[in-house]
Amino acid sequence: MDRGLKRKCIQLASAVLYNANFAGFRDGAIWQGEGKGVCVPGLNCYSCPGAVGSCPLGALQNALSRLPEKLPLYVGGFILLTGLALGRLVCGFLCPFGLIQELVHKLPGPKIQKSRWTRRLSWLKYIVLALFVVAIPMCAAWARGYPLPAFCKYICPAGTLEGGWPLALLRADIRGRLGGLFCWKSALCVAILLSCVFCYRSFCRFLCPLGAIYSLFARVALLAMRVDKTLCDNCGLCVKKCPVDVCRVGDRECVQCGACRAVCPKNAIYFGKERRT
Amino acid sequence: MRKKTVLRLVLAAAGVTALVLGLVQGQYGETLSKAVYLCLECVGLG
């Protein structure tokens, strides 16, 4: 099987596995099984009627709002181990919202190529992480006494797409409570999806705080795209053909999609653990 | 290479320790209790 197709199958399988409560899509009820305390690696809203696991970002924001009484050990440990094992492989293979963005990008339309501007814009996700995932939830909890998951509330398009829209369609009690915040989140979600038509994975590259966290593990992740330096002749085709803003294969921006591997004339790029050279 | 291996081992030990301590402190239950109810912020209600 073609590697690209194999990756798509894994992305689809992970999306189905994360949202395996199919009955939820019929009756609009949130799954309440014991296993829902386990985080999934990718961005998947736990208020999606199909969700059978927790969103690591939502869980992290809630855990951070309990500081300084309680350190976010459970979620922090999970994210640390996932980042160490997989890094941004999660973005390329195990994120349902990443799959949606890739499918949307296949729609016809002018495509914006990467440039030094998109590379600069890729730093924005670290600001989103610092402000909306860490600072605001913590400060709001101290000031108000109850948590404010600011990223989920004001930005997360996965929450709108997987949770907000299906629940609004399925449940009359939710439809009756929709207001300005829902309109804002819907408009932002539509804008992000529209931007994906023109720009490959725009949310992952510029806004996703989970990708920002996993990118911190780029140098130490066990499974990643790597270059066999004994074979590489530094032609630069890998970086040129990469759809995201990498400076070299496997750096913080690399979502491990494997586009570089397909074009390398020397077959110097491989996927997996480091080879001893 | 050796430095990286040591760093990985340290991070893995830190991750496992954090996860286990979190479980002992009942943080699994806290995550579960948030996840099994509708998150009003996530769906855009409040």
Side-chain angles (χ1 to χ4, degrees):
Chain A
M1 194 195 285
D2 168 54
R3 278 184 198 134
L5 186 61
K6 209 185 274 181
R7 188 171 72 88
K8 283 278 177 291
C9 290
I10 295 171
Q11 285 177 297
L12 190 63
S14 69
V16 172
L17 274 177
Y18 295 174
N19 298 292
N21 176 37
F22 305 121
F25 293 108
R26 190 191 59 225
D27 51 27
I30 304 284
W31 193 62
Q32 301 198 312
E34 274 293 314
K36 214 169 177 188
V38 178
C39 294
V40 297
L43 192 68
N44 194 77
C45 184
Y46 43 32
S47 284
C48 171
V52 294
S54 272
C55 168
L57 265 187
L60 180 65
Q61 287 168 87
N62 282 297
L64 283 170
S65 65
R66 292 191 199 98
L67 278 172
E69 284 82 26
K70 253 184 188 175
L71 292 170
L73 294 172
Y74 170 64
V75 188
F78 171 82
I79 292 176
L80 181 54
L81 290 175
T82 308
L84 184 62
L86 306 172
R88 289 198 81 180
L89 183 85
V90 173
C91 307
F93 284 78
L94 303 174
C95 182
F97 199 68
L99 171 65
I100 291 164
Q101 289 176 85
E102 286 184 10
L103 296 176
V104 170
H105 189 66
K106 288 192 186 295
L107 294 172
K111 306 298 176 192
I112 298 169
Q113 298 304 312
K114 62 179 179 178
S115 65
R116 63 195 168 114
W117 291 105
T118 57
R119 176 84 187 168
R120 279 177 193 165
L121 212 52
S122 71
W123 290 99
L124 186 61
K125 60 181 171 289
Y126 298 98
I127 298 171
V128 173
L129 171 66
L131 275 181
F132 286 85
V133 177
V134 181
I136 298 176
M138 277 168 60
C139 296
W142 294 334
R144 309 186 318 170
Y146 57 92
L148 171 63
F151 176 76
C152 296
K153 184 169 180 174
Y154 299 114
I155 299 177
C156 186
T160 312
L161 187 70
E162 298 167 1
W165 290 348
L167 288 173
L169 281 173
L170 292 165
R171 286 171 53 172
D173 61 324
I174 288 182
R175 267 198 305 280
R177 294 170 63 187
L178 303 180
L181 184 65
F182 184 82
C183 292
W184 157 253
K185 282 199 70 183
S186 295
L188 187 64
C189 184
V190 169
I192 287 170
L193 289 174
L194 270 179
S195 75
C196 292
V197 176
F198 313 112
C199 186
Y200 181 78
R201 276 180 171 251
S202 57
F203 176 73
C204 305
R205 288 161 70 187
F206 311 133
L207 290 174
C208 182
L210 193 57
I213 295 174
Y214 289 142
S215 76
L216 303 175
F217 295 91
R219 282 176 185 272
V220 290
L222 287 174
L223 292 175
M225 286 293 160
R226 302 187 200 280
V227 180
D228 187 334
K229 289 190 175 108
T230 57
L231 297 174
C232 177
D233 63 359
N234 296 308
C235 68
L237 202 57
C238 47
V239 173
K240 201 175 160 191
K241 291 286 178 185
C242 174
V244 298
D245 305 281
V246 299
C247 288
R248 57 178 175 75
V249 172
D251 74 3
R252 68 174 173 87
E253 285 303 309
C254 177
V255 294
Q256 318 291 333
C257 70
C260 53
R261 201 177 171 194
V263 297
C264 179
K266 299 281 179 188
N267 283 326
I269 300 170
Y270 63 98
F271 176 75
K273 292 198 294 182
E274 280 154 337
R275 287 177 193 158
R276 288 183 192 279
T277 49
Chain B
M1 185 79 171
R2 204 170 187 185
K3 229 189 236 177
K4 209 181 252 188
T5 309
V6 172
L7 182 61
R8 278 181 185 145
L9 286 172
V10 170
L11 288 174
V16 171
T17 309
L19 196 68
V20 172
L21 282 176
L23 288 171
V24 170
Q25 287 184 7
Q27 292 184 12
Y28 176 85
E30 287 165 10
T31 305
L32 177 67
S33 65
K34 174 69 187 166
V36 294
Y37 294 109
L38 178 66
C39 168
L40 295 177
E41 292 90 354
C42 301
V43 299
L45 290 182

